[in-house]
């Protein structure tokens, strides 16, 4: 079935990218989640916590904890917005900008290496497929394995007693 093939391929991609170990460092002392936040803030300095949470598809409390860790490490700075002091603007510090640039260079090398392994004649097809998949996920709304309220979706057991979302 196509659904099984897609699920297997996506699980292989997730494993290959190291996403399953969310607390594993993507670089010394920075978790994968912190790398995502830092990358987003470096790409759009001056973003708010709410905007960042929306962009990452996470709840504000999760993003807030991640931002706090980056502030404590001296990689991000929070500044109140002039028009509403209760809302803060997130900015990379000079150290954060440096690490963000390193992360971007690492990402470009990784993705370049991956694309080099795809036959040149099929690269456009692969990139178009990834764009379509990303659009489908975005159109779905809620995170696939969570309900609309961000709560874990009900789970069931397969015939072998394995939990399946």
């Amino acid at each position: 079935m196509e659904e099984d093939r897609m699920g297997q391929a996506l699980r292989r991609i997730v494993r290959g990218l190291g996403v399953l170990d969310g607390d594993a460092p993507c670089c010394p002392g920075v978790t994968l989640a912190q790398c995502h936040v830092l990358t987003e803030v470096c790409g759009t300095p001056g973003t708010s916590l709410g905007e960042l949470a929306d962009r990452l598809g996470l709840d504000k409390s999760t993003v807030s904890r991640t931002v706090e860790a980056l502030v404590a490490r001296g990689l991000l700075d929070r500044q109140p917005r002039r028009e509403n002091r209760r809302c803060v603007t997130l900015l990379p510090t000079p150290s954060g900008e440096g690490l963000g640039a390193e992360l971007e260079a690492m990402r470009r090398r990784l993705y370049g290496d991956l694309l080099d392994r795809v036959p040149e004649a099929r690269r456009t097809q692969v990139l178009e497929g990834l764009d379509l998949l990303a659009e489908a996920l975005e159109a779905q709304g809620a995170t696939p394995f969570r309900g609309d309220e961000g709560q874990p979706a009900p789970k069931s057991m397969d015939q072998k007693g394995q939990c399946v979302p």
Side-chain angles (χ1 to χ4, degrees):
M1 291 172 42
E2 288 179 336
E3 297 87 2
D4 292 337
R5 183 176 173 195
M6 182 174 182
Q8 290 170 357
L10 287 173
R11 284 192 302 275
R12 290 171 46 211
I13 290 168
V14 166
R15 284 192 303 265
L17 291 173
V19 175
L20 293 176
D21 193 356
D23 290 332
C26 65
C27 54
V30 181
T31 67
L32 186 58
Q34 291 169 352
C35 288
H36 281 284
V37 167
L38 183 62
T39 298
E40 287 294 324
V41 174
C42 286
T44 54
T47 191
S48 73
L49 190 65
E51 292 164 343
L52 182 60
D54 288 345
R55 209 166 30 252
L56 293 172
L58 298 169
D59 62 84
K60 284 183 186 179
S61 63
T62 300
V63 175
S64 180
R65 285 189 301 273
T66 305
V67 165
E68 285 301 318
L70 291 167
V71 168
R73 294 224 34 231
L75 298 171
L76 288 184
D77 188 25
R78 289 177 305 188
Q79 296 180 354
R81 287 197 169 171
R82 290 182 185 135
E83 67 275 7
N84 181 353
R85 296 193 56 79
R86 290 178 295 167
C87 186
V88 296
T89 294
L90 301 172
L91 298 166
T93 64
S95 295
E97 286 178 349
L99 182 55
E102 286 180 43
L103 292 171
E104 185 60 29
M106 286 171 42
R107 225 180 334 278
R108 285 180 182 272
R109 279 192 307 274
L110 168 67
Y111 298 151
D113 290 348
L114 288 173
L115 276 173
D116 286 345
R117 294 176 183 272
V118 174
E120 192 169 342
R122 305 220 32 215
R123 288 181 191 166
T124 299
Q125 179 184 9
V126 168
L127 294 172
E128 288 173 353
L130 288 170
D131 284 338
L132 285 171
L133 181 59
E135 289 168 13
L137 285 166
E138 290 164 353
Q140 185 171 348
T143 304
F145 296 107
R146 296 189 178 272
D148 290 332
E149 301 301 316
Q151 299 302 313
K155 295 180 180 173
S156 59
M157 298 290 200
D158 65 12
Q159 292 177 340
K160 296 179 184 176
Q162 300 292 318
C163 185
V164 292

